[in-house]
Structures are given as C-alpha cells and as structure tokens.
Amino acid sequence: MSLPRDDGHVHLADYVPPAWRIRHADLAFDLDPDATEVHARLSLAPDPDQPRQPLVLDGEALTLLAIAVDGRPLPADRYAYDGNTLRIEGLAGACELETRVRVHPAGNTRLEGLYQSGRLLLTQCEAEGFRRITFFTDRPDVMPRWRITLRAARERFPVLLANGNPVARRELDDGRHESTWENPHPTPCYLFAIAAGDLDRVTHSVRTAEGREVELNVWAEPADVARCAYALGAVERSLRWDERRFGRGYDLDVFNVVAAQDFTMGAMENKGLNIFNARYILADEATATDADFLAIESVVAHEYLHNWSGNRVTLRDWFQLSLKEGLTVFRDSEFSADLHSRAIKRIEAVRVLRGRQFAEDSGALAHPVRPDRYREISNFYTLTIYEKGAEVIRLLHTLLGEDVFRAGMDRYFADNDGRAATIEDFLAAHAAASGRDLTQFALWYSQAGTPELAITEHFDTATGDYTLTVDQHVPPTPGQPVKQPMLVPLRLALYADDGTAITAAPETDAARNGDLVELVAARHVLRWRGLAGKPLATFNQGFAAPVKIAFSQSPADLARSVRVERDEVYRWDGLQQLATRAILQHDVLAADALEAALQDLLTDPAADPAFVAECLALPDFDTLADAMDPVDPEALLDARDALLDRLSRALAAPLQARYDAMEAAAAQGLDGPAMAARALRNACLGWLTRVDPAAVLAQRQFDRARNMTERGAALRCLLHFDAPGAAAALAAFRGQFAHDPLVTDKWIGWLATRPHASATQAVTELLASEWWKPANPNRVRAVLGSFQRGNPRAFHRADGEGFRLVAGQLPGLDATNPQVAARLLGGFEGWRRLHPPLRAVARATLAGLEGQLHSPDCRDLLARLLVD
Ligand code: PHE
Ligand code: ZN
C-alpha cells in the first residue's frame, strides 16, 4: 500500500510494507450519539527494514483531545494533524501511543465509521472507515490483536457488542455499564466492529467438529427479533458446511450477527460480529419472498465463510480485493448449490454474470479482477471483483477437479493463516498442490474484458472429417488496448443424428482434460475423422467458462441441441439464445422453435418446475443489450414485448393448466418443491396476465395469497399491467405493511419498475412524498436503483427524463452518502453503447453533473465515464 502518485491514483506497483507495525490495540469507547470519545492505546514497533520513518496515521473527521507516548503527553511540536493524517516525528523505536478523540455518530450520514441507525450505534469500516473512529494505520496488512471496552448508558444501550469473545462486564456509576471484548486473532482494522443499543436476539449453541462450544446469536431491534430465526439457521448451516466441504472450523466462543435498517452494502464480515443490512436477516413467510429467503441464506453464508477467506487469511492491500470476495462468492455459491439445486443456482449466477458483469466488462468502467490502480477503492466493490472473481476460482476448480482444488485450498489456508496475502500467494498454493504452471491462468486476474470465442465448423461429406476452428479474442478495455490469449477450458460434446453422444476424442494441439479442451492460443483446430454424418456440436456445458461464444447454427439445430443435451444450464441457455435471436434478429424460425420447446416443457410432467420457471424468464434488457450494437432500448423492448405477447397467447392453455395444477404444492413451506411450485406459478401468472386485461387471475391470487411470494407477485402483476384493481390492491398492501420499511421498499420498487415510460411520474411523486428517505440506502435503491436498473423503458426515455430523474438526485445524495450516490452514477456505465440520439442525451446529462459532485467516489466515476 502506498500514497497516491501525482495522477491521484494509488498504484499496485508502489506497494511498500508498513513502516510501523501495530502489535496490540486497546480501545475504550464512551458511547454517546452526539459525542463519543475513543481512547486508543497502540503498541507500535518499527519495521527493522525501514528504520527511522516518521509515524503516519490515518484519521478523518476526528477531534483530537489528547496524545501521549509511553505515558507522557506529546509536545505540540512533535506532531501535526491536517485532517487526513497524523504525523509524529522522532519516535526512537517500539513504544505505546495513546490518543483520545471525539467523534459524532448522529451526524454521520455516510454510514462509514461509527454511526447511528434507528436507536442503535454501529460501525462500518471496510474499506477505509476505521480512520473515522480513531488514528490508525488504516490498511489491511496491519493486524494487531485487540481489546475493546465499551461504556454507555445502560438504559439506552443495554447490549454492547464488539469483535471477539466477551471477557468482562460491570456496572458503573450514573446508570452506565461497561463490557470488554478480546479478539485474539490478528485482525486488520477494516474488520473492527461494535454495536450498541436495545437489541434482542435469537440464540443457539453448537459444538464444532474441533470440540469448541460456540454460541450463535442473531440480534435485532426487539420488534424484529421474531423474524431472525431463519437467519440463525443459515448461520449454523454455513458453519457445518465449511467444516464438511473445506475442513474449516469456527475459531471464537461467540458468533454475533446484527441487523441494521441503515446499511450501505449487503452485509459485513467483521471478526465475530457480522453487521447486516436488515433485508438480509429479517424474514417470515408473510413479509419475505422465497427469493428473499434464498438471498438471506446466501449472504449469511457469504459473511460467515469470510471468516477463513478474508479474515484468518486477509489481504495485503486493496488491489487483492477479489482474493477474498471472488473466493468467498465461489464458496457461498457452492454452499447454495450443495444445499439446493445446483443447476438452478448456476442458471441464476449466469443470469447475473451475463446481464450485469458482461455489461460492466464492456462498458466505461471495465477493470481487471485485480485492478492495478485506483483513485477510490470503494468504487471497486463491483460485479467484476465479486462475480467474475468467483468465475475465475470456478475455472480453477474446473481445471483441477474437486480433490486437487481442495488440496490447493488447504495449502493456501495453512501457508497464509494469520497473514495478509496476495493473489500470487493463492495461485502459488494451487500451483504447488497441482503441479501445474498457472502463469497463463493468471491473465484472468490482469486482463479486463470478456473473452470471445468464434467457433466455425466444417464437415467433409466425402471423408466424414469434422473440424471445429476456435478463435479467441479478448476485446480492448479502458487502458488495455491489446490482450493476450487466455487459458479457457472449453467443455464440448458431439451428438450423432440419433442423439447418441460421439465419444471419440478429437485430434488437436490443445491439451485435453476429461471432457474439456484447454484453449491457450488465439486459434485451435479440433478434428474428428470418419464420422457417419455431420454431428451436432454443443459447447460450454454448465457455463464452465465465463466467455461469449459465437457459433452459427440454425434455430432447428439449436432447438435439437436443447433436446439432446442433458445439462440443464446448457438447455436453459439454448432457449435464451433462441429468444435472443427472435428478439434481436426478428428470427421467426427461432421464435417458432422457442414456442415449441416451451410447449414441450410446460406439458412435460417430469420437468422440474423450478427449471421450467427459469426457462420462462426470457433474457432481460441487460443481457439483450449486450448482444446489440448500438443499443436502441425502445426497439429492443418493443421486440421483447412482442415475443412475450405472442408466446403468452400461444401457450395460454398449458400455462393455465400448470398454474392450476400446482396450487396445492405452492401453499406454504420453504422446502424445494414448494418454492419451485411458487416460482413456476408466478412465472405463469406473469405471462397469463399479459393476455388478460381484467387481470382476473392476478386479482384472485392477490386476494387469496397465503404468503408474500404469492401476494407480492400478484400485486406486481396488477401494477405492471395497469389492472383495474391495481390501486385498491396497492392501498390494501400498503396499509397492511405500513410499519415495515423492508416491505415498503417492495411496493415502491414495483411502482418504480412499472414498464411504461410514464413510470417517471410515479418516481417523481415518490421523491416528493413522505416515503422518500435519502439517508436510508435501501429506500434510495427502492426508488431510484430499481428504476434505473429495473425499468429500462422509462430510464432510457428518448426525452432524457429518465436520466435526468436519477442524475438530478445525485448532488444531494453525494453530500449525504457518497457510496450510495456512486452506485447510481455507475448505472450510467453503458451510455456509450446507446444509439446516437440517446447517447447525446446521456452525455449531456453526465456533463451537467461536472462540478456538482464532490466526493472522491463520484468524481472518480464521473471522470471515468466521460473520458474519451
Ligand atoms: N465485505 C462485504 C462483503 O462482501 C461487503 C462490504 C464492502 C460491506 C464494503 C461494506 C463495505 O461481504
Ligand atoms: Zn464479501
């Protein structure tokens, strides 16, 4: 880690180890929303390789009250604080630094550092928020052991939580009390956390495989604690799964999770004290949908699993962010795949990757999985770091196989436990365990852009020789005009006319690895000799490689491949391809083939309802836009609607039959078959409501709904299709859940995503209403985020009203919470790919923001969005 260069960027190449280590940190808090005092005692030792460096500590928005070294007050000429760093000269060697500072939690709208949410006091430190709590070396390769003492008024703050294990509690004078915690594991300050307030909990004790008794607690404000049980179960499932699948145990006596209504991100893996956005904790069947439950389970797992991938082995610097995030997304997605349907989990991941990460990779903000420079690290919590980073781990797993991969992971954890590691350390462990040279593989970390494979086939009827030529191209991205070929494991299969698999191996210069060929060059040729007829080729089963494949195939062959292939991810993808061609190329044969395939699926009693539901969800706007150049949103959406109208009419009978047949199975419960039944019924309902102007079915589902999954989908249909009963249903729903901010976010989101240009009106009204709460990140996302990402028609209005609606809020939001504003600004990443008239509108909107946004977050993004 190091200081920014003159260009304002921090560079990976400039890394130098910290000049001073912090061996131990002893912190005492006197908590008060208006003025909290933080007393820090840090045991410091200089790096022997970098003697006599001044001590430079980070500190922002701190009022320094006192400073002493080894118990003696420091004279004013020995230190200087400029609002960003505290510089102390003339320290001879190891010493103890004491500081006392004051901070103002109630005034902290950025939700970084110590802040107030409702009646709670909470912290958020990743990435660089700890410097807003006390003076410290705020970088992840400084890992002290910690002792944390919290003092507060007992009545107002009866529960006081911090990292690690609780070691002491006592009563103080004046109605105050004190609680002391010790975290014995070396831990960087971005994992520091405290939580204080009137919290209640659900709790469960487990004995780990290593024999440790661990108390698992999920905390929330008392009114919400009844909705914490599901999250608590998910914690235990995560703990057990990490023991089984990765051999990793839990390492403290307590594991605490706290739900907060105001939280910028999803959740945070602080050592022993995870803090969550309440939307990823609170759930019961009346207020949460099945999708909410699954998201809760996966985010709980994600944060829990960080305890090894992130906490025990942490990061040398923020360039290594994907070392913890990509790996942990891979781990949580394996957790979900092991517990539920692997194919469905993969399909959902591919949807996000294709729709969102591919767009990021081809847009103005594209960056490698390991960036080599940044101006503001908060802007790198991206789909590329998380989802593509997880795909890279999955590629490694695919190349090595489960057993060798596991050996590599064991080695990585053993070699780096208690250390701040790099992606090189990770690859070195896997190289050692597998005996493979991973040099070319490492390009997945340094080269941005989605690799494209252009595959052409040739069949010689005279000889029966069949050749596939595979050309690889990685497109240019900002700062990276020219790319090298990457290592791409390509899975493929050939089928004969009768549908049997052709098992003969191809002749090729690419290495073969089971059913994969390992592509390493810009071109490879694969040849089979003497086949009886032209085979049917299928590629990338399981979406094993996160690449785009161009292979020209007739709709009939594509439809046939969907019938012969057993891999569900491939079959789903084949239908998505047919839909894409029907929409973007107005390919009638593709639409016919899609209709026939869906007819078969809907009438096949053996088909998994969850899979059928996935197949009914046609490619979304982002996925389609990625395949269109330039993007004409209105034409794209009109064509998509036309296909949906046609299919809904043609398939109305089997859709209705399926919908009716699953009524009982869908009634209740969170088991797989019940969720699958609800998923398919709701998918059918969406299609059926399209061709039913009175929305009779949706109205009936709303009136008889047995849970939020049914009620919410029905209301969404009523609203989105302007049903006669929409307003009354909305009023009833609003009244029923008026005091629940999370459910309120739902109906707001459905209004904001009503697929009509006039939805801008609803958003304008929301912005002027009592519902608009700009300091609450969930609410901002419900009103503006869902509009921007989930209402492509209104957001891309030709008159620019959609862009202006979002952009107009950015200056105010930026002053309140820069990270929330930056997310919305990032939603303009695709503007350059829009067709010329709309591109001009987008450019003018963005240009109009110059000089209006003052945070480093937004200024960095705006510069990257507008650079030519
Ligand atoms: N580290 C968190 C996670 O992915 C995300 C996060 C980043 C939360 C920054 C808050 C701030 O698990
Ligand atoms: Zn994470």
Side-chain angles (χ1 to χ4, degrees):
M1 238 40 210
S2 52
L3 298 174
R5 289 189 196 168
D6 290 346
D7 62 3
H9 288 81
V10 181
H11 290 251
L12 169 60
D14 293 349
Y15 175 83
V16 276
W20 289 81
R21 306 291 163 89
I22 304 178
R23 302 208 177 290
H24 193 268
D26 188 340
L27 264 47
F29 289 75
D30 284 290
L31 290 167
D32 182 285
D34 294 314
T36 289
E37 282 193 21
V38 187
H39 182 172
R41 286 216 308 259
L42 309 179
S43 323
L44 301 167
D47 174 0
D49 296 337
Q50 305 179 70
R52 267 185 268 291
Q53 295 279 337
L55 176 67
V56 180
L57 300 178
D58 304 292
E60 269 177 35
L62 305 176
T63 305
L64 180 58
L65 303 174
I67 180 165
V69 172
D70 290 331
R72 278 182 296 277
L74 202 59
D77 61 348
R78 291 276 308 282
Y79 69 91
Y81 177 41
D82 63 6
N84 284 307
T85 52
L86 174 69
R87 203 182 156 90
I88 304 176
E89 305 281 350
L91 293 176
C95 61
E96 187 180 83
L97 173 73
E98 265 183 277
T99 59
R100 228 157 34 82
V101 302
R102 189 168 55 230
V103 297
H104 181 200
N108 180 357
T109 60
R110 299 171 47 154
L111 315 187
E112 283 180 278
L114 179 64
Y115 69 93
Q116 186 168 20
S117 172
R119 298 200 30 93
L120 309 180
L121 285 178
L122 300 168
T123 53
Q124 171 52 45
C125 295
E126 187 178 8
E128 297 179 332
F130 190 70
R131 60 188 63 185
R132 298 165 56 81
I133 293 175
T134 192
F135 289 106
F136 210 79
T137 321
D138 191 357
R139 44 187 283 173
D141 57 353
V142 171
M143 298 167 291
R145 293 182 169 79
W146 298 75
R147 182 181 172 89
I148 304 164
T149 301
L150 305 176
R151 291 186 286 265
R154 181 184 199 34
E155 192 120 308
R156 167 86 201 262
F157 298 103
V159 176
L160 301 172
L161 306 173
N163 307 103
N165 296 318
V167 293
R169 288 185 61 171
R170 62 187 180 117
E171 298 302 317
L172 305 172
D173 305 336
D174 314 334
R176 294 158 55 77
H177 67 145
E178 177 187 277
S179 170
T180 302
W181 296 73
E182 269 175 16
N183 172 10
H185 300 281
T187 302
C189 66
Y190 81 85
L191 294 168
F192 171 88
I194 61 177
D198 184 8
L199 289 160
D200 199 354
R201 65 170 172 169
V202 291
T203 181
H204 178 58
S205 286
V206 297
R207 175 186 281 274
T208 68
E210 290 156 338
R212 181 191 285 269
E213 284 293 331
V214 182
E215 186 183 283
L216 311 176
N217 298 313
V218 178
W219 301 84
E221 297 194 53
D224 291 330
V225 81
R227 290 192 289 163
C228 293
Y230 181 80
L232 180 64
V235 173
E236 184 175 5
R237 292 195 285 284
S238 307
L239 184 150
R240 292 301 180 208
W241 181 86
D242 211 18
E243 290 183 339
R244 269 198 322 275
R245 178 84 190 265
F246 280 89
R248 299 288 123 199
Y250 187 65
D251 55 5
L252 291 168
D253 303 334
V254 291
F255 183 74
N256 284 315
V257 174
V258 178
Q261 291 291 352
D262 303 282
F263 197 82
T264 299
M265 307 282 276
M268 181 62 211
E269 71 266 22
N270 317 301
K271 184 78 187 185
L273 177 52
N274 291 358
I275 297 181
F276 272 62
N277 188 323
R279 67 179 296 197
Y280 294 116
I281 295 291
L282 305 183
D284 57 24
E285 287 183 60
T287 57
T289 64
D290 294 342
D292 293 330
F293 279 102
L294 291 174
I296 287 169
E297 184 179 60
S298 105
V299 177
V300 166
H302 180 93
E303 307 311 329
Y304 175 83
L305 297 172
H306 266 313
N307 194 49
W308 275 94
S309 46
N311 300 5
R312 283 286 285 260
V313 179
T314 195
L315 309 179
R316 187 192 73 170
D317 55 68
W318 291 116
F319 295 101
Q320 321 298 326
L321 184 55
S322 195
L323 177 62
K324 75 178 176 80
E325 296 304 347
L327 179 55
T328 305
V329 171
F330 172 76
R331 275 155 50 74
D332 84 56
S333 65
E334 283 297 294
F335 164 84
S336 299
D338 282 349
L339 264 62
H340 306 288
S341 160
R342 179 164 288 273
I344 300 293
K345 177 71 193 171
R346 187 64 186 145
I347 287 169
E348 306 264 271
V350 173
R351 247 189 237 291
V352 174
L353 194 71
R354 272 236 188 91
R356 301 283 313 280
Q357 196 279 324
F358 282 15
E360 188 167 278
D361 239 354
S362 67
L365 303 178
H367 57 273
V369 173
R370 180 165 61 188
D372 52 15
R373 45 177 227 166
Y374 61 76
R375 227 170 331 203
E376 172 52 64
I377 189 58
S378 296
N379 287 337
F380 285 85
Y381 289 78
T382 60
L383 287 130
T384 298
I385 301 292
Y386 278 71
E387 311 305 323
K388 186 174 183 181
E391 291 299 315
V392 175
I393 309 284
R394 181 171 301 283
L395 282 173
L396 192 63
H397 182 271
T398 301
L399 284 166
L400 304 182
E402 169 70 12
D403 293 345
V404 176
F405 178 80
R406 169 67 196 271
M409 288 305 303
D410 288 350
R411 190 160 182 144
Y412 168 66
F413 288 128
D415 290 353
N416 295 286
D417 191 5
R419 289 190 56 234
T422 61
I423 285 165
E424 281 76 11
D425 294 325
F426 179 80
L427 291 176
H430 282 284
S434 65
R436 283 190 65 139
D437 177 351
L438 297 174
T439 313
Q440 188 183 14
F441 181 78
L443 289 173
W444 280 99
Y445 285 101
S446 57
Q447 292 193 159
T450 307
E452 298 168 359
L453 303 180
I455 305 180
T456 48
E457 62 177 351
H458 178 75
F459 182 67
D460 185 333
T461 38
T463 60
D465 289 358
Y466 180 68
T467 40
L468 289 173
T469 305
V470 185
D471 289 306
Q472 181 187 150
H473 171 70
V474 187
T477 47
Q480 294 189 334
V482 190
K483 308 284 168 72
Q484 292 167 251
M486 324 254 270
L487 170 53
V488 178
L490 180 65
R491 190 166 274 150
L492 69 143
L494 298 188
Y495 294 94
D497 270 350
D498 62 359
T500 56
I502 295 171
T503 52
E507 296 167 16
T508 176
D509 58 336
R512 286 190 290 108
N513 174 352
D515 59 350
L516 305 166
V517 285
E518 297 187 5
L519 309 175
V520 293
R523 167 169 289 186
H524 287 284
V525 177
L526 289 75
R527 179 172 289 114
W528 290 259
R529 294 195 190 275
L531 299 185
K534 179 168 177 276
L536 182 68
T538 59
F539 303 102
N540 210 18
Q541 284 79 353
F543 207 71
V547 300
K548 295 182 189 172
I549 295 181
F551 178 58
S552 128
Q553 217 175 11
S554 69
D557 277 352
L558 195 48
R560 193 159 76 85
S561 78
V562 170
R563 286 194 299 275
V564 298
E565 229 347 298
R566 291 333 302 155
D567 178 64
E568 286 189 306
V569 181
Y570 180 92
R571 293 172 58 212
W572 165 80
D573 194 24
L575 298 183
Q576 299 277 303
Q577 305 297 335
L578 286 173
T580 303
R581 288 162 67 162
I583 294 166
L584 295 182
Q585 287 144 38
H586 306 281
D587 182 334
V588 179
L589 294 178
D592 293 344
L594 177 60
E595 182 185 316
L598 291 176
Q599 171 92 36
D600 289 349
L601 267 176
L602 283 166
T603 51
D604 175 1
D608 170 12
F611 178 70
V612 181
E614 292 293 348
C615 293
L616 288 176
L618 298 192
D620 62 10
F621 174 81
D622 293 314
T623 305
L624 293 164
D626 195 55
M628 191 181 199
D629 195 20
V631 181
D632 178 347
E634 206 171 308
L636 185 166
L637 290 163
D638 286 347
R640 186 175 185 275
D641 276 336
L643 177 67
L644 278 165
D645 287 346
R646 168 195 159 159
L647 293 173
S648 304
R649 269 193 303 275
L651 298 171
L655 287 163
Q656 182 76 53
R658 271 292 204 166
Y659 180 87
D660 293 337
M662 286 181 307
E663 177 155 13
Q668 62 191 355
L670 297 173
D671 53 297
M675 284 204 194
R678 286 191 291 269
L680 181 49
R681 287 188 99 226
N682 284 341
C684 293
L685 181 68
W687 286 41
L688 288 165
T689 306
R690 250 177 203 281
V691 290
D692 171 14
V696 176
L697 205 57
Q699 185 69 52
R700 200 182 63 184
Q701 177 165 321
F702 183 78
D703 294 338
R704 299 185 189 171
R706 299 161 289 192
N707 47 61
M708 181 57 85
T709 305
E710 292 186 333
R711 181 168 285 114
L715 179 56
R716 183 172 170 277
C717 273
L718 293 173
L719 293 169
H720 283 195
F721 293 103
D722 294 325
L730 176 61
F733 186 90
R734 230 152 69 168
Q736 189 179 353
F737 300 105
H739 300 295
D740 188 328
L742 297 176
V743 182
T744 301
D745 290 340
K746 290 186 194 299
W747 66 255
I748 287 178
W750 297 324
L751 284 184
T753 55
R754 188 175 141 266
H756 294 272
S758 63
T760 49
Q761 186 56 37
V763 173
T764 305
E765 281 164 23
L766 284 165
L767 289 170
S769 75
E770 59 180 302
W771 308 109
W772 175 236
K773 298 196 172 0
N776 176 250
N778 287 351
R779 187 57 51 84
V780 176
R781 277 187 285 267
V783 177
L784 293 174
S786 59
F787 171 76
Q788 180 183 45
R789 294 278 184 191
N791 197 342
R793 198 181 274 284
F795 178 62
H796 293 101
R797 269 170 66 140
D799 62 2
E801 190 51 34
F803 295 155
R804 279 193 296 275
L805 199 48
V806 176
Q809 294 299 319
L810 290 179
L813 289 171
D814 192 41
T816 303
N817 184 329
Q819 291 182 17
V820 167
R823 288 271 153 183
L824 290 169
L825 183 55
F828 285 92
E829 68 190 340
W831 75 271
R832 268 177 208 285
R833 298 187 56 252
L834 297 172
H835 68 151
L838 202 54
R839 191 189 309 157
V841 177
R843 183 196 295 276
T845 309
L846 291 170
L849 286 168
E850 281 185 301
Q852 312 266 327
L853 306 174
H854 303 297
S855 71
D857 310 60
C858 282
R859 287 173 51 201
D860 169 44
L861 285 190
L862 193 58
R864 285 159 64 198
L865 285 168
L866 283 172
V867 77
D868 278 312

